[in-house]
Amino acid sequence: MKKQLVSALLVLTMCTSLIACGKDEADDTAADDTASNTVQEVVEPVDDSAAFWEQVSEDGKVRSYLTGDWVDAGYGRQRPVAVMIENTKACLPQYGIGNAGVIYECVVEGGITRMMAIFDDYSGLDQIGNIRSSRPYYVYFASEYDAIYMHAGGNPAAFELIDDKNLVDNINALTVEGTKGKAAAFRTGKGEHTLYTNSDGIAKGIEKLGYDTELPANYEPHFTFAADGNDLSSGEDCQAIQLYYYTNKPYWIYNEDDGLYYRYEFNQKQVDAITGEQLTAKNIIIQNVEWWTYEGSQYLGYLLSYNTGTGKYISNGKMIDIVWSKDGDTDITHYYDLNSGEEIQLNVGVTWIQACQRDYTDETVYYADKSEFSKAN
């Protein structure tokens, strides 16, 4: 994409912002070197000259559309599953979230955040969740991946997109819950934070509702990955990020040893309950969005479709300014380097997308050196 298009996108962003300001009522393992562990060989692709998505490893694996990493072909070329995940302190730790290839986090009503975890390989997980209700912006995000979308109810605006506009194939866990091992979703107690699914449950839900799990032949991967890595050589240093979300107060700290960002919230490590391991990301995308509050409610709306905005791409201890663009309800959001105008190439690994309300983006703090961040010391 040409630099002129990026300039046009920025102009459109500013115009959209002016319109929105006067429109309060808008429409709706690092390996353990012990003898007891099996050393895994790094499997090289059969043909390094093959296009990234056509590469096949010697043991038959393919490149994941979510992470760019090697994944079993049985999962890597089927439709992903997106699961709504609760993110209040009462629900921690979450189960199975560490297996997701992409995670979205957005502020919902009351200042709390909610997550959507997207999986291509969700095999072998005995518990995933807990599952919470849908919001409209998550429906838009899930549709970009042609994902089967699992949630527990939702607000009216979300169901308008699910039922009336048919943007996604969905599994409403509230309508398919039952006994673990026999139903798509199950409860571990009587409280509101007790609804879960697992690998077998997802399969049962898909079968019960008759959804096709195969990706279409013309499927467009959501991201572009840098086969040889992207060091963001033109970017600024970024070793720590304190997000403005004021309820869970999340932050990320970069580890130079493995090149990953480690996730914290509620002043503690955020871990997966199954593995006990801290959540990490190779790529972090900050997506600044216009927003509003639905009249007569606390529900938020994000202006995503037919829109553009600014943000940042963070990886390998570096950060660049970006522009994002989404042409339609189910169209993929594309992210472009603000300076070069080229679509960004992610590093292979897990990606977190942090949707940030544009009015509060200045409250997010980026630290070039993590020693300057008190919580990192």
Side-chain angles (χ1 to χ4, degrees):
M1 176 154 304
K2 304 295 185 182
K3 291 183 179 179
Q4 289 89 337
L5 177 55
V6 173
S7 299
L9 291 173
L10 286 173
V11 171
L12 179 57
T13 300
M14 290 186 287
C15 291
T16 303
S17 301
L18 290 172
I19 293 171
C21 288
K23 189 177 180 183
D24 289 338
E25 297 180 3
D27 295 332
D28 264 293
T29 355
D32 188 351
D33 294 327
T34 63
S36 62
N37 288 344
T38 302
V39 177
Q40 295 182 348
E41 289 186 343
V42 175
V43 181
E44 297 297 330
V46 171
D47 182 3
D48 281 329
S49 68
F52 189 80
W53 300 119
E54 279 95 41
Q55 291 180 359
V56 179
S57 69
E58 291 180 354
D59 58 353
K61 293 185 177 181
V62 297
R63 293 287 190 177
S64 164
Y65 287 143
L66 299 182
T67 67
D69 212 341
W70 295 112
V71 66
D72 187 277
Y75 291 97
R77 293 301 176 263
Q78 74 172 11
R79 295 174 67 189
V81 172
V83 182
M84 290 300 304
I85 304 288
E86 174 73 348
N87 194 42
T88 56
K89 192 171 185 178
C91 79
L92 298 179
Q94 296 114 332
Y95 286 75
I97 193 171
N99 281 65
V102 177
I103 295 179
Y104 283 82
E105 182 178 23
C106 306
V107 175
V108 296
E109 61 281 355
I112 64 172
T113 70
R114 191 159 293 174
M115 297 176 175
M116 182 177 74
I118 309 179
F119 304 83
D120 49 15
D121 183 357
Y122 47 87
S123 61
L125 294 177
D126 187 57
Q127 195 164 324
I128 302 170
N130 67 52
I131 310 171
R132 291 297 280 174
S133 56
S134 175
R135 296 295 179 264
Y137 28 96
Y138 285 112
V139 179
Y140 287 124
F141 289 138
S143 72
E144 297 185 19
Y145 298 82
D146 194 21
I148 296 171
Y149 179 56
M150 193 167 195
H151 59 101
N155 69 353
F159 276 112
E160 180 181 348
L161 300 180
I162 295 170
D163 293 338
D164 298 341
K165 291 192 174 183
N166 297 311
L167 295 194
V168 291
D169 287 338
N170 73 303
I171 303 174
N172 185 349
L174 295 179
T175 67
V176 293
E177 64 174 290
T179 303
K180 184 177 181 180
K182 296 181 179 180
F186 59 91
R187 291 189 181 272
T188 58
K190 296 181 179 180
E192 64 174 336
H193 306 298
T194 62
L195 185 61
Y196 293 88
T197 188
N198 58 18
S199 301
D200 292 340
I202 291 173
K204 290 180 186 300
I206 292 172
E207 181 179 9
K208 179 180 178 67
L209 296 168
Y211 294 142
D212 187 358
T213 60
E214 295 300 315
L215 288 169
N218 62 345
Y219 183 75
E220 179 185 359
H222 195 286
F223 302 114
T224 300
F225 289 93
D228 298 322
N230 185 351
D231 61 7
L232 298 182
S233 57
S234 64
E236 305 173 53
D237 290 340
C238 183
Q239 293 190 346
I241 310 138
Q242 172 72 73
L243 289 154
Y244 74 90
Y245 305 159
Y246 64 83
T247 300
N248 59 328
K249 298 180 174 61
Y251 57 95
W252 295 91
I253 297 177
Y254 182 62
N255 184 338
E256 300 93 330
D257 293 336
D258 59 12
L260 300 176
Y261 287 86
Y262 283 70
R263 166 85 179 194
Y264 299 78
E265 64 173 4
F266 299 106
N267 291 316
Q268 62 189 9
K269 295 178 180 179
Q270 186 174 5
V271 302
D272 187 311
I274 294 177
T275 64
E277 295 179 356
Q278 188 173 1
L279 302 182
T280 61
K282 184 64 178 178
N283 309 290
I284 301 171
I285 294 174
I286 307 294
Q287 183 172 345
N288 300 327
V289 297
E290 296 290 346
W291 64 286
W292 73 91
T293 302
Y294 283 95
E295 185 176 3
S297 77
Q298 292 186 326
Y299 294 130
L300 304 186
Y302 289 168
L303 190 58
L304 299 172
S305 298
Y306 310 99
N307 199 23
T308 184
T310 59
K312 295 184 184 296
Y313 170 47
I314 302 161
S315 188
N316 285 347
K318 293 282 189 176
M319 172 178 69
I320 61 171
D321 291 320
I322 62 172
V323 172
W324 63 267
S325 178
K326 180 174 171 62
D327 293 337
D329 286 348
T330 61
D331 287 349
I332 290 173
T333 300
H334 291 281
Y335 302 93
Y336 304 95
D337 184 320
L338 176 63
N339 292 320
S340 71
E342 299 295 329
E343 186 161 8
I344 64 172
Q345 292 190 329
L346 300 185
N347 282 303
V348 170
V350 172
T351 297
W352 278 61
I353 298 177
Q354 310 272 186
C356 294
Q357 298 154 284
R358 195 181 65 84
D359 296 4
Y360 301 111
T361 54
D362 289 343
E363 297 180 22
T364 292
V365 183
Y366 305 93
Y367 295 88
D369 190 328
K370 61 187 175 184
S371 66
E372 302 169 356
F373 182 37
S374 60
K375 293 181 179 179
N377 301 314

